[in-house]
Amino acid sequence: MRKTLLSGALAIIMSATAMAQHSVMNFAGKAEYGVAGMEQSWVEHESDTIQFKMNSASDADITLPSIDYNGLVIPSFTIHGVTFTYDISTRNADFEEQTFEETVLVNGEEKTITGSSFSGTYTHADKFFNLTAVFKYGKMPFPVTYILTDAAYFVPTGIEDIAADASDNSLKGVYDLTGHKVAHPQSGVVYIIDGKKVIIGK
């Protein structure tokens, strides 16, 4: 009995250690956001990037990208202490619905982000992250729903400037680090712009 308990505890520790080794994980996927009941107001992005920072085997910090919602820019912010359950056998994580509150500093002024709901899943076999966050920013009259679907895990490559023939227009434009063309770049995110690695200023 003692041996079984010890091996079970060891498996949990090893599994948690393996997850913690990733420290900060990046996921990129298709996102959409808008106000529930106002379908014409919804915006889609082909590729948004979130960051997942492991704090322990049961909680993490998740950083969402900045969002341009009909001219209102909601800055990138981190949801701290998001709790989840971790399945040792599948290495999947389930984020049951929970609330959150964060503050961001915008032009020297603190703005409150009040989240009425956050939920999500991480599927280890596919290395996919799905999440839904519903929140108000500052004095917004209605909450925004942000949905990220099948965001794939990726390792930033540390790409330096890319040499290209000046006459070659194939590298012109804005691309994310997975090579997808981006129509609406967001602040605080690294892109390849005309063949060079650039981080858009916040």
Side-chain angles (χ1 to χ4, degrees), residues 113-140:
I113 296 172
T114 307
S116 58
S117 173
F118 178 92
S119 59
T121 56
Y122 167 68
T123 309
H124 181 72
D126 300 319
K127 291 189 171 48
F128 276 174
F129 204 111
N130 289 274
L131 68 81
T132 301
V134 182
F135 59 89
K136 284 186 179 180
Y137 167 64
K139 297 178 180 177
M140 288 176 64

PDB file of all heavy atoms in Angstrom, residues 113-140:
ATOM      1  N   ILE A 113     -10.024  45.511 -15.518  1.00  0.00           N
ATOM      2  CA  ILE A 113     -10.615  44.502 -16.403  1.00  0.00           C
ATOM      3  C   ILE A 113     -11.328  43.508 -15.496  1.00  0.00           C
ATOM      4  O   ILE A 113     -10.698  42.854 -14.661  1.00  0.00           O
ATOM      5  CB  ILE A 113      -9.550  43.798 -17.260  1.00  0.00           C
ATOM      6  CG1 ILE A 113      -8.906  44.818 -18.195  1.00  0.00           C
ATOM      7  CG2 ILE A 113     -10.160  42.641 -18.043  1.00  0.00           C
ATOM      8  CD1 ILE A 113      -7.719  44.304 -18.962  1.00  0.00           C
ATOM      9  N   THR A 114     -12.653  43.435 -15.630  1.00  0.00           N
ATOM     10  CA  THR A 114     -13.461  42.565 -14.787  1.00  0.00           C
ATOM     11  C   THR A 114     -13.978  41.403 -15.611  1.00  0.00           C
ATOM     12  O   THR A 114     -14.785  41.585 -16.533  1.00  0.00           O
ATOM     13  CB  THR A 114     -14.648  43.339 -14.173  1.00  0.00           C
ATOM     14  OG1 THR A 114     -14.138  44.509 -13.521  1.00  0.00           O
ATOM     15  CG2 THR A 114     -15.406  42.481 -13.187  1.00  0.00           C
ATOM     16  N   GLY A 115     -13.495  40.217 -15.302  1.00  0.00           N
ATOM     17  CA  GLY A 115     -13.890  39.032 -16.052  1.00  0.00           C
ATOM     18  C   GLY A 115     -15.010  38.275 -15.369  1.00  0.00           C
ATOM     19  O   GLY A 115     -14.840  37.806 -14.242  1.00  0.00           O
ATOM     20  N   SER A 116     -16.143  38.163 -16.045  1.00  0.00           N
ATOM     21  CA  SER A 116     -17.263  37.407 -15.471  1.00  0.00           C
ATOM     22  C   SER A 116     -17.129  35.922 -15.740  1.00  0.00           C
ATOM     23  O   SER A 116     -17.779  35.104 -15.094  1.00  0.00           O
ATOM     24  CB  SER A 116     -18.593  37.923 -16.033  1.00  0.00           C
ATOM     25  OG  SER A 116     -18.604  37.819 -17.448  1.00  0.00           O
ATOM     26  N   SER A 117     -16.239  35.557 -16.697  1.00  0.00           N
ATOM     27  CA  SER A 117     -16.085  34.140 -17.010  1.00  0.00           C
ATOM     28  C   SER A 117     -14.770  33.880 -17.746  1.00  0.00           C
ATOM     29  O   SER A 117     -14.401  34.633 -18.642  1.00  0.00           O
ATOM     30  CB  SER A 117     -17.262  33.669 -17.891  1.00  0.00           C
ATOM     31  OG  SER A 117     -17.057  32.352 -18.341  1.00  0.00           O
ATOM     32  N   PHE A 118     -14.093  32.815 -17.336  1.00  0.00           N
ATOM     33  CA  PHE A 118     -12.943  32.290 -18.076  1.00  0.00           C
ATOM     34  C   PHE A 118     -13.036  30.771 -18.023  1.00  0.00           C
ATOM     35  O   PHE A 118     -13.268  30.185 -16.967  1.00  0.00           O
ATOM     36  CB  PHE A 118     -11.612  32.719 -17.467  1.00  0.00           C
ATOM     37  CG  PHE A 118     -10.429  32.122 -18.205  1.00  0.00           C
ATOM     38  CD1 PHE A 118      -9.838  32.816 -19.243  1.00  0.00           C
ATOM     39  CD2 PHE A 118      -9.953  30.855 -17.904  1.00  0.00           C
ATOM     40  CE1 PHE A 118      -8.787  32.259 -19.960  1.00  0.00           C
ATOM     41  CE2 PHE A 118      -8.910  30.293 -18.606  1.00  0.00           C
ATOM     42  CZ  PHE A 118      -8.319  30.992 -19.644  1.00  0.00           C
ATOM     43  N   SER A 119     -12.884  30.132 -19.179  1.00  0.00           N
ATOM     44  CA  SER A 119     -12.848  28.671 -19.225  1.00  0.00           C
ATOM     45  C   SER A 119     -11.955  28.261 -20.382  1.00  0.00           C
ATOM     46  O   SER A 119     -11.703  29.051 -21.300  1.00  0.00           O
ATOM     47  CB  SER A 119     -14.260  28.087 -19.400  1.00  0.00           C
ATOM     48  OG  SER A 119     -14.846  28.568 -20.596  1.00  0.00           O
ATOM     49  N   GLY A 120     -11.458  27.033 -20.336  1.00  0.00           N
ATOM     50  CA  GLY A 120     -10.592  26.587 -21.419  1.00  0.00           C
ATOM     51  C   GLY A 120     -10.166  25.146 -21.267  1.00  0.00           C
ATOM     52  O   GLY A 120     -10.447  24.491 -20.258  1.00  0.00           O
ATOM     53  N   THR A 121      -9.478  24.648 -22.291  1.00  0.00           N
ATOM     54  CA  THR A 121      -8.933  23.296 -22.274  1.00  0.00           C
ATOM     55  C   THR A 121      -7.580  23.284 -22.978  1.00  0.00           C
ATOM     56  O   THR A 121      -7.357  24.046 -23.913  1.00  0.00           O
ATOM     57  CB  THR A 121      -9.852  22.288 -22.999  1.00  0.00           C
ATOM     58  OG1 THR A 121     -10.080  22.747 -24.333  1.00  0.00           O
ATOM     59  CG2 THR A 121     -11.185  22.114 -22.280  1.00  0.00           C
ATOM     60  N   TYR A 122      -6.713  22.401 -22.491  1.00  0.00           N
ATOM     61  CA  TYR A 122      -5.456  22.128 -23.180  1.00  0.00           C
ATOM     62  C   TYR A 122      -5.439  20.635 -23.486  1.00  0.00           C
ATOM     63  O   TYR A 122      -5.609  19.805 -22.580  1.00  0.00           O
ATOM     64  CB  TYR A 122      -4.250  22.496 -22.328  1.00  0.00           C
ATOM     65  CG  TYR A 122      -2.950  21.952 -22.882  1.00  0.00           C
ATOM     66  CD1 TYR A 122      -2.428  22.438 -24.076  1.00  0.00           C
ATOM     67  CD2 TYR A 122      -2.269  20.922 -22.241  1.00  0.00           C
ATOM     68  CE1 TYR A 122      -1.257  21.930 -24.615  1.00  0.00           C
ATOM     69  CE2 TYR A 122      -1.095  20.413 -22.767  1.00  0.00           C
ATOM     70  CZ  TYR A 122      -0.588  20.916 -23.950  1.00  0.00           C
ATOM     71  OH  TYR A 122       0.569  20.397 -24.480  1.00  0.00           O
ATOM     72  N   THR A 123      -5.263  20.277 -24.768  1.00  0.00           N
ATOM     73  CA  THR A 123      -5.212  18.884 -25.191  1.00  0.00           C
ATOM     74  C   THR A 123      -3.779  18.554 -25.563  1.00  0.00           C
ATOM     75  O   THR A 123      -3.254  19.065 -26.553  1.00  0.00           O
ATOM     76  CB  THR A 123      -6.146  18.653 -26.398  1.00  0.00           C
ATOM     77  OG1 THR A 123      -7.442  19.171 -26.085  1.00  0.00           O
ATOM     78  CG2 THR A 123      -6.260  17.174 -26.727  1.00  0.00           C
ATOM     79  N   HIS A 124      -3.159  17.698 -24.773  1.00  0.00           N
ATOM     80  CA  HIS A 124      -1.733  17.428 -24.959  1.00  0.00           C
ATOM     81  C   HIS A 124      -1.435  16.688 -26.267  1.00  0.00           C
ATOM     82  O   HIS A 124      -0.418  16.962 -26.916  1.00  0.00           O
ATOM     83  CB  HIS A 124      -1.188  16.626 -23.779  1.00  0.00           C
ATOM     84  CG  HIS A 124       0.272  16.331 -23.909  1.00  0.00           C
ATOM     85  ND1 HIS A 124       1.234  17.310 -23.745  1.00  0.00           N
ATOM     86  CD2 HIS A 124       0.934  15.190 -24.218  1.00  0.00           C
ATOM     87  CE1 HIS A 124       2.425  16.773 -23.933  1.00  0.00           C
ATOM     88  NE2 HIS A 124       2.271  15.489 -24.226  1.00  0.00           N
ATOM     89  N   ALA A 125      -2.294  15.761 -26.664  1.00  0.00           N
ATOM     90  CA  ALA A 125      -2.037  14.973 -27.881  1.00  0.00           C
ATOM     91  C   ALA A 125      -1.873  15.883 -29.096  1.00  0.00           C
ATOM     92  O   ALA A 125      -1.004  15.678 -29.942  1.00  0.00           O
ATOM     93  CB  ALA A 125      -3.166  13.971 -28.110  1.00  0.00           C
ATOM     94  N   ASP A 126      -2.718  16.923 -29.198  1.00  0.00           N
ATOM     95  CA  ASP A 126      -2.654  17.866 -30.319  1.00  0.00           C
ATOM     96  C   ASP A 126      -1.833  19.103 -29.980  1.00  0.00           C
ATOM     97  O   ASP A 126      -1.513  19.894 -30.863  1.00  0.00           O
ATOM     98  CB  ASP A 126      -4.065  18.328 -30.716  1.00  0.00           C
ATOM     99  CG  ASP A 126      -4.945  17.177 -31.138  1.00  0.00           C
ATOM    100  OD1 ASP A 126      -4.444  16.286 -31.840  1.00  0.00           O
ATOM    101  OD2 ASP A 126      -6.127  17.162 -30.745  1.00  0.00           O
ATOM    102  N   LYS A 127      -1.553  19.283 -28.682  1.00  0.00           N
ATOM    103  CA  LYS A 127      -0.927  20.514 -28.184  1.00  0.00           C
ATOM    104  C   LYS A 127      -1.762  21.734 -28.593  1.00  0.00           C
ATOM    105  O   LYS A 127      -1.245  22.736 -29.076  1.00  0.00           O
ATOM    106  CB  LYS A 127       0.518  20.631 -28.663  1.00  0.00           C
ATOM    107  CG  LYS A 127       1.434  19.600 -28.012  1.00  0.00           C
ATOM    108  CD  LYS A 127       2.881  19.849 -28.301  1.00  0.00           C
ATOM    109  CE  LYS A 127       3.811  18.982 -27.489  1.00  0.00           C
ATOM    110  NZ  LYS A 127       3.494  17.575 -27.447  1.00  0.00           N
ATOM    111  N   PHE A 128      -3.083  21.607 -28.397  1.00  0.00           N
ATOM    112  CA  PHE A 128      -4.038  22.665 -28.728  1.00  0.00           C
ATOM    113  C   PHE A 128      -4.575  23.292 -27.452  1.00  0.00           C
ATOM    114  O   PHE A 128      -4.852  22.599 -26.470  1.00  0.00           O
ATOM    115  CB  PHE A 128      -5.226  22.115 -29.518  1.00  0.00           C
ATOM    116  CG  PHE A 128      -4.980  21.992 -30.998  1.00  0.00           C
ATOM    117  CD1 PHE A 128      -5.931  21.382 -31.799  1.00  0.00           C
ATOM    118  CD2 PHE A 128      -3.829  22.481 -31.596  1.00  0.00           C
ATOM    119  CE1 PHE A 128      -5.739  21.264 -33.163  1.00  0.00           C
ATOM    120  CE2 PHE A 128      -3.630  22.364 -32.958  1.00  0.00           C
ATOM    121  CZ  PHE A 128      -4.583  21.750 -33.746  1.00  0.00           C
ATOM    122  N   PHE A 129      -4.752  24.613 -27.493  1.00  0.00           N
ATOM    123  CA  PHE A 129      -5.351  25.353 -26.383  1.00  0.00           C
ATOM    124  C   PHE A 129      -6.615  26.027 -26.904  1.00  0.00           C
ATOM    125  O   PHE A 129      -6.598  26.649 -27.957  1.00  0.00           O
ATOM    126  CB  PHE A 129      -4.363  26.418 -25.879  1.00  0.00           C
ATOM    127  CG  PHE A 129      -4.600  26.828 -24.460  1.00  0.00           C
ATOM    128  CD1 PHE A 129      -3.702  26.488 -23.460  1.00  0.00           C
ATOM    129  CD2 PHE A 129      -5.713  27.559 -24.107  1.00  0.00           C
ATOM    130  CE1 PHE A 129      -3.906  26.873 -22.153  1.00  0.00           C
ATOM    131  CE2 PHE A 129      -5.939  27.945 -22.810  1.00  0.00           C
ATOM    132  CZ  PHE A 129      -5.024  27.598 -21.817  1.00  0.00           C
ATOM    133  N   ASN A 130      -7.713  25.876 -26.176  1.00  0.00           N
ATOM    134  CA  ASN A 130      -8.961  26.564 -26.479  1.00  0.00           C
ATOM    135  C   ASN A 130      -9.363  27.354 -25.243  1.00  0.00           C
ATOM    136  O   ASN A 130      -9.235  26.857 -24.122  1.00  0.00           O
ATOM    137  CB  ASN A 130     -10.075  25.560 -26.815  1.00  0.00           C
ATOM    138  CG  ASN A 130      -9.863  24.883 -28.146  1.00  0.00           C
ATOM    139  OD1 ASN A 130     -10.246  25.388 -29.178  1.00  0.00           O
ATOM    140  ND2 ASN A 130      -9.224  23.718 -28.135  1.00  0.00           N
ATOM    141  N   LEU A 131      -9.836  28.583 -25.444  1.00  0.00           N
ATOM    142  CA  LEU A 131     -10.287  29.345 -24.281  1.00  0.00           C
ATOM    143  C   LEU A 131     -11.399  30.309 -24.663  1.00  0.00           C
ATOM    144  O   LEU A 131     -11.536  30.709 -25.821  1.00  0.00           O
ATOM    145  CB  LEU A 131      -9.135  30.098 -23.622  1.00  0.00           C
ATOM    146  CG  LEU A 131      -8.458  31.272 -24.359  1.00  0.00           C
ATOM    147  CD1 LEU A 131      -9.242  32.578 -24.226  1.00  0.00           C
ATOM    148  CD2 LEU A 131      -7.062  31.481 -23.805  1.00  0.00           C
ATOM    149  N   THR A 132     -12.185  30.648 -23.653  1.00  0.00           N
ATOM    150  CA  THR A 132     -13.218  31.682 -23.786  1.00  0.00           C
ATOM    151  C   THR A 132     -13.128  32.584 -22.562  1.00  0.00           C
ATOM    152  O   THR A 132     -13.126  32.097 -21.432  1.00  0.00           O
ATOM    153  CB  THR A 132     -14.630  31.064 -23.863  1.00  0.00           C
ATOM    154  OG1 THR A 132     -14.697  30.181 -24.985  1.00  0.00           O
ATOM    155  CG2 THR A 132     -15.690  32.147 -24.017  1.00  0.00           C
ATOM    156  N   ALA A 133     -13.016  33.891 -22.798  1.00  0.00           N
ATOM    157  CA  ALA A 133     -12.972  34.869 -21.705  1.00  0.00           C
ATOM    158  C   ALA A 133     -14.035  35.930 -21.965  1.00  0.00           C
ATOM    159  O   ALA A 133     -14.147  36.445 -23.077  1.00  0.00           O
ATOM    160  CB  ALA A 133     -11.593  35.518 -21.612  1.00  0.00           C
ATOM    161  N   VAL A 134     -14.820  36.222 -20.948  1.00  0.00           N
ATOM    162  CA  VAL A 134     -15.858  37.258 -21.038  1.00  0.00           C
ATOM    163  C   VAL A 134     -15.498  38.334 -20.012  1.00  0.00           C
ATOM    164  O   VAL A 134     -15.362  38.039 -18.826  1.00  0.00           O
ATOM    165  CB  VAL A 134     -17.254  36.679 -20.746  1.00  0.00           C
ATOM    166  CG1 VAL A 134     -18.318  37.769 -20.891  1.00  0.00           C
ATOM    167  CG2 VAL A 134     -17.563  35.493 -21.658  1.00  0.00           C
ATOM    168  N   PHE A 135     -15.327  39.582 -20.473  1.00  0.00           N
ATOM    169  CA  PHE A 135     -14.855  40.610 -19.551  1.00  0.00           C
ATOM    170  C   PHE A 135     -15.279  42.009 -20.005  1.00  0.00           C
ATOM    171  O   PHE A 135     -15.574  42.248 -21.164  1.00  0.00           O
ATOM    172  CB  PHE A 135     -13.334  40.554 -19.423  1.00  0.00           C
ATOM    173  CG  PHE A 135     -12.600  40.749 -20.722  1.00  0.00           C
ATOM    174  CD1 PHE A 135     -12.231  42.012 -21.159  1.00  0.00           C
ATOM    175  CD2 PHE A 135     -12.291  39.659 -21.524  1.00  0.00           C
ATOM    176  CE1 PHE A 135     -11.568  42.196 -22.362  1.00  0.00           C
ATOM    177  CE2 PHE A 135     -11.620  39.820 -22.726  1.00  0.00           C
ATOM    178  CZ  PHE A 135     -11.254  41.088 -23.143  1.00  0.00           C
ATOM    179  N   LYS A 136     -15.266  42.926 -19.038  1.00  0.00           N
ATOM    180  CA  LYS A 136     -15.457  44.356 -19.302  1.00  0.00           C
ATOM    181  C   LYS A 136     -14.128  45.065 -19.083  1.00  0.00           C
ATOM    182  O   LYS A 136     -13.391  44.734 -18.159  1.00  0.00           O
ATOM    183  CB  LYS A 136     -16.505  44.957 -18.366  1.00  0.00           C
ATOM    184  CG  LYS A 136     -17.936  44.626 -18.712  1.00  0.00           C
ATOM    185  CD  LYS A 136     -18.880  45.394 -17.807  1.00  0.00           C
ATOM    186  CE  LYS A 136     -20.325  45.099 -18.131  1.00  0.00           C
ATOM    187  NZ  LYS A 136     -21.246  45.853 -17.245  1.00  0.00           N
ATOM    188  N   TYR A 137     -13.852  46.040 -19.947  1.00  0.00           N
ATOM    189  CA  TYR A 137     -12.634  46.840 -19.833  1.00  0.00           C
ATOM    190  C   TYR A 137     -13.026  48.262 -19.474  1.00  0.00           C
ATOM    191  O   TYR A 137     -13.780  48.914 -20.206  1.00  0.00           O
ATOM    192  CB  TYR A 137     -11.880  46.806 -21.157  1.00  0.00           C
ATOM    193  CG  TYR A 137     -10.765  47.825 -21.277  1.00  0.00           C
ATOM    194  CD1 TYR A 137      -9.655  47.766 -20.446  1.00  0.00           C
ATOM    195  CD2 TYR A 137     -10.827  48.828 -22.240  1.00  0.00           C
ATOM    196  CE1 TYR A 137      -8.632  48.696 -20.564  1.00  0.00           C
ATOM    197  CE2 TYR A 137      -9.798  49.758 -22.370  1.00  0.00           C
ATOM    198  CZ  TYR A 137      -8.711  49.684 -21.525  1.00  0.00           C
ATOM    199  OH  TYR A 137      -7.699  50.599 -21.642  1.00  0.00           O
ATOM    200  N   GLY A 138     -12.528  48.754 -18.329  1.00  0.00           N
ATOM    201  CA  GLY A 138     -12.847  50.119 -17.921  1.00  0.00           C
ATOM    202  C   GLY A 138     -14.343  50.320 -17.766  1.00  0.00           C
ATOM    203  O   GLY A 138     -15.026  49.560 -17.093  1.00  0.00           O
ATOM    204  N   LYS A 139     -14.867  51.323 -18.478  1.00  0.00           N
ATOM    205  CA  LYS A 139     -16.284  51.664 -18.354  1.00  0.00           C
ATOM    206  C   LYS A 139     -17.126  51.145 -19.508  1.00  0.00           C
ATOM    207  O   LYS A 139     -18.185  51.700 -19.828  1.00  0.00           O
ATOM    208  CB  LYS A 139     -16.438  53.184 -18.237  1.00  0.00           C
ATOM    209  CG  LYS A 139     -15.769  53.741 -16.996  1.00  0.00           C
ATOM    210  CD  LYS A 139     -15.894  55.246 -16.906  1.00  0.00           C
ATOM    211  CE  LYS A 139     -15.215  55.773 -15.657  1.00  0.00           C
ATOM    212  NZ  LYS A 139     -15.250  57.237 -15.572  1.00  0.00           N
ATOM    213  N   MET A 140     -16.663  50.085 -20.154  1.00  0.00           N
ATOM    214  CA  MET A 140     -17.443  49.502 -21.253  1.00  0.00           C
ATOM    215  C   MET A 140     -18.845  49.139 -20.757  1.00  0.00           C
ATOM    216  O   MET A 140     -18.985  48.551 -19.689  1.00  0.00           O
ATOM    217  CB  MET A 140     -16.772  48.223 -21.770  1.00  0.00           C
ATOM    218  CG  MET A 140     -15.506  48.446 -22.554  1.00  0.00           C
ATOM    219  SD  MET A 140     -14.738  46.864 -23.023  1.00  0.00           S
ATOM    220  CE  MET A 140     -15.993  46.194 -24.100  1.00  0.00           C
TER     221      MET A 140
END
